[in-house]
Structure formats: C-alpha cells, structure tokens
Amino acid sequence: MNRWRWMLVRWCVLLAATTALLELAACRAEKGTVSGCPSATAGGAVDESVMAFLSAARSLHHEADVKDRSGDRAGAVASLERLVAMPGPRATEVDEVLADAYGRLAEMRLETKDWAGADRDVQAGLEHAREPTYFRGHLLEVSGLIEEARAAALADGGDRDEATRARAHAVDLFERAAGVQEQVIERALGDGGARD
Amino acid sequence: MRSAMEGLVIDSRCVVCGLVLALSMCGGGRPEPPVAPANAPATEAAPAPASPGSTRRAPAMAPLEVPGSKAVAPAPAPAAAPPSEVSEADTVPNSREAQRTAARDELIRAERSLDASASDCAGACRALSSMARAIAHLCALVDSPDDQRRCDGATQRLAAARERVRQSCGACPP
C-alpha cells in the first residue's frame, strides 16, 4: 500500500505543480497585473535580477540602520553608497530604490553639513525619479532642506545676498515638493491627477 | 480496507493542497491603477504608480475602516445565474460549479481591491506627510508678501489634500 500511497502523492504533486503553473500563466496574462504573481514583472518574465537587487538593497538598508543606531554614521553612509553603486537591471522598482537610497544618503550628509555631497545625492536621485512620484517629491523636499540650511549658514557668515538667494531657492523647492506630493495623493486616491 | 481508506484520505488532502496552492499563486494581484489625464500641473508630469516590489523606508499604512473609505470598498456581488431551460438534473451541478466559480472570483476581486486600497492609502499618507513637511518649511521661510501668498496657497492645498485623504482612507498613522 505504501507504493500506492507514494504514487498518489507524486501524482498530486504533479497535479498541483501543473495547476499552479496554469494559474501563474493566467495571472501574467492579465494586462499589467503583476502583484500577487510571484516575482513577475510587467514585461512578463520572472526577473530574478530585479528580485536579487531588491533583496541586496533591503539588506544594505538594514545594515545602514544597524550602523546608524550604533552611532556609526560613516559606516551607515558607506552601506548606502554600496547600495547606490550596485549594478542594477533597468526596472521601475530599481529606480525607486535608488531614488530612495539617494534621498536617505542626502539626509545623512545634510546632518553632517556636507551640503555639496547632499546636493549631489539629490541630483543623482532625481535622475532615477523623473516622474512625479513620492520619491521625486521627497528628493525635492530634501533639496529644500539643504538650501534652507545653507541659507542659514550663509546668513550667519554675513553673506546676506547669497543667503537671500539660497532662501528663495529653498522656498521654490519646498513649493515644488508640495506640488509633486499633491499630485501623488490625487493620483493615489483615484481622481486621475485633477486639481482643484 | 483500512489502507484503501488511508489512500483516499491522502488523495483528498493532496487535491485540496494542490488547489489551495494554485489559487494562492494569483490571490494577491491588484488591478491596474487609473491613468492620469493630461490636466496635471505644469511643473511635473502625471505621477507614475508606485511599484509593489520596492524596498521603501516609508512607514506602512494600516487600512482604516471609515464610511466611504477606499480601504473597505466592497467587491461587487456575483451576478445572478441566468434562467435556463435545461433539466434540473443538469442545472444543479452546473449551478454549483458556477457558484464556486463566482465565489472564487469574488474572493479574488475583493482581495485585489483591498490590496490596492491599502497600498493607495499608504502612498497617499506618505505623500501627505512629505507635503506637510515641505509646506511647514516653506511657511517658516516667509520673508515677503509674495512668500506669504505662496504659503497661504500651499496651506489651503494641504488642507484640501488632508481632507481628501481623510475621506478616502481615514486617519493616517502618526
């Protein structure tokens, strides 16, 4: 009877695998629907390189968290620098991760008053967030913070003209950031981006 | 006899496992978000939907149950079976099969709707937080009547956005 039992089990596993593959094919056949279908991308293929990149990025974010919590800011920055230096496949998810990581790097550099470095990170991040997404809005927000901090430092140093210019630039950036996030909200809540 | 029964039990368990596995493969799919029209603001193009696989640092949003909330949007009820002229013997098994199919479809639709709504509200709350921070900084830098006008306009837009999010999603997490 054991022999029959194992035959049944094998048959069932085969049936399950076949059915699962059919279901997966049905998932991917739905136009643009990828969520819920494991590791599937909009292109239709299961993209292991994207999944590998996302996994590595997650690990490096965790590594940066651990280092940052233990007071090792330089180590945290180094972890994020490794993240943004990783070769990644061309995919929306990869661009979002990179934009997010550059934003985090810029915030860390801002705290150490490395404004030039922070600005470089923001500009690099914006290259990965050309559409008005949360990530673009956040990068603009961080850029505004950089200009705001720079304006304050310039004013403290007596350079009033340059401080005024930096402050005006900061106002522009904050306004743009708010505008992007407003669009993101409108889009998310389903009115197609219409404005009041 | 006992062995035959055991075999049947295992057979049944395997079939159920197979079906559950197969159904679970596609259970979490979400529908394509709506496409933005061309009347987006001049400064930025229409936003792209957030992708599901990114490793974001932003806080997650728990869907809140409020009247009219996107997060609790009910799935449409399955359509009633059309009248048929075939005999009852033929109808009953077909009807049961149709009910099973309808129930399965409804479950999938509801799950997708829930996933999409939770994701949309999380994204809206995250964007709202960023918008509020940006406007707070903008208003803190007011140094001229023009700046004040921009601050006032942005604050009004923030209030409208906040109300829109509240109506659709309830309160955002702190």
Side-chain angles (χ1 to χ4, degrees):
Chain A
M1 191 60 203
N2 277 341
R3 187 175 159 222
W4 285 106
R5 194 178 291 173
W6 281 109
M7 280 182 71
L8 274 171
V9 170
R10 269 188 249 168
W11 181 83
C12 288
V13 169
L14 186 64
L15 173 68
T18 306
T19 315
L21 284 173
L22 288 172
E23 285 282 340
L24 179 58
C27 284
R28 284 157 54 175
E30 290 178 45
K31 184 184 174 187
T33 303
V34 294
S35 179
C37 302
S39 309
T41 65
V46 175
D47 197 330
E48 288 184 7
S49 60
V50 172
M51 299 303 288
F53 181 90
L54 297 179
S55 175
R58 201 186 307 269
S59 295
L60 287 168
H61 266 299
H62 285 312
E63 189 178 291
D65 288 341
V66 170
K67 289 178 178 175
D68 205 28
R69 275 199 297 269
S70 64
D72 181 10
R73 173 53 60 91
V77 166
S79 296
L80 294 175
E81 283 175 338
R82 279 173 57 207
L83 194 168
V84 298
M86 279 197 310
R90 291 182 66 84
T92 305
E93 295 94 332
V94 171
D95 277 331
E96 289 184 348
V97 167
L98 289 172
D100 184 45
Y102 274 119
R104 190 177 181 192
L105 262 176
E107 287 175 311
M108 286 183 171
R109 294 198 209 277
L110 177 60
E111 286 179 23
T112 58
K113 299 187 178 178
D114 177 10
W115 297 315
D119 189 55
R120 273 197 307 273
D121 288 332
V122 166
Q123 300 311 319
L126 288 172
E127 290 296 311
H128 294 279
R130 294 176 178 275
E131 300 294 316
T133 58
Y134 165 81
F135 301 101
R136 184 172 179 82
H138 181 62
L139 284 162
L140 290 170
E141 179 194 341
V142 175
S143 190
L145 292 174
I146 295 166
E147 284 298 280
E148 184 181 21
R150 208 169 65 85
L154 287 165
D156 289 345
D159 191 346
R160 293 191 177 280
D161 290 344
E162 191 59 30
T164 301
R165 274 192 287 275
R167 190 199 55 77
H169 191 203
V171 169
D172 285 342
L173 288 164
F174 286 132
E175 197 168 40
R176 284 176 62 195
V180 169
Q181 301 298 14
E182 188 180 16
Q183 290 178 68
V184 173
I185 292 165
E186 288 163 350
R187 172 66 180 254
L189 300 186
D191 65 359
R195 292 173 70 93
D196 291 336
Chain B
M1 183 62 189
R2 184 167 174 269
S3 298
M5 287 301 291
E6 284 176 359
L8 282 173
V9 168
I10 290 172
D11 191 359
S12 305
R13 284 179 185 168
C14 290
V15 170
V16 169
C17 287
L19 290 173
V20 167
L21 175 63
L23 287 173
S24 67
M25 297 292 285
C26 199
R30 57 174 287 201
E32 188 76 355
V35 177
N39 60 345
T43 50
E44 302 285 347
S51 65
S54 62
T55 58
R56 292 172 193 160
R57 292 177 294 120
M61 164 69 189
L64 298 163
E65 296 190 5
V66 295
S69 165
K70 286 174 70 72
V72 292
S84 172
E85 294 179 3
V86 295
S87 68
E88 189 176 341
D90 292 336
T91 306
V92 171
N94 287 343
S95 174
R96 282 183 184 165
E97 183 60 31
Q99 283 176 347
R100 269 197 292 272
T101 304
R104 176 179 166 277
D105 289 348
E106 187 182 358
L107 183 65
I108 291 170
R109 274 198 303 273
E111 193 174 357
R112 286 178 182 173
S113 174
L114 191 64
D115 285 351
S117 299
S119 172
D120 288 346
C121 285
C125 285
R126 184 172 56 169
L128 185 64
S129 293
S130 176
M131 185 181 181
R133 287 194 303 267
I135 291 171
H137 282 280
L138 188 162
C139 292
L141 290 173
V142 163
D143 195 31
S144 66
D146 181 57
D147 285 348
Q148 188 59 57
R149 182 186 55 75
R150 293 164 80 175
C151 168
D152 292 344
T155 303
Q156 284 178 4
R157 292 204 306 276
L158 175 63
R162 187 170 279 146
E163 178 61 16
R164 190 166 301 170
V165 172
R166 192 193 64 76
Q167 285 180 355
S168 295
C169 305
C172 289

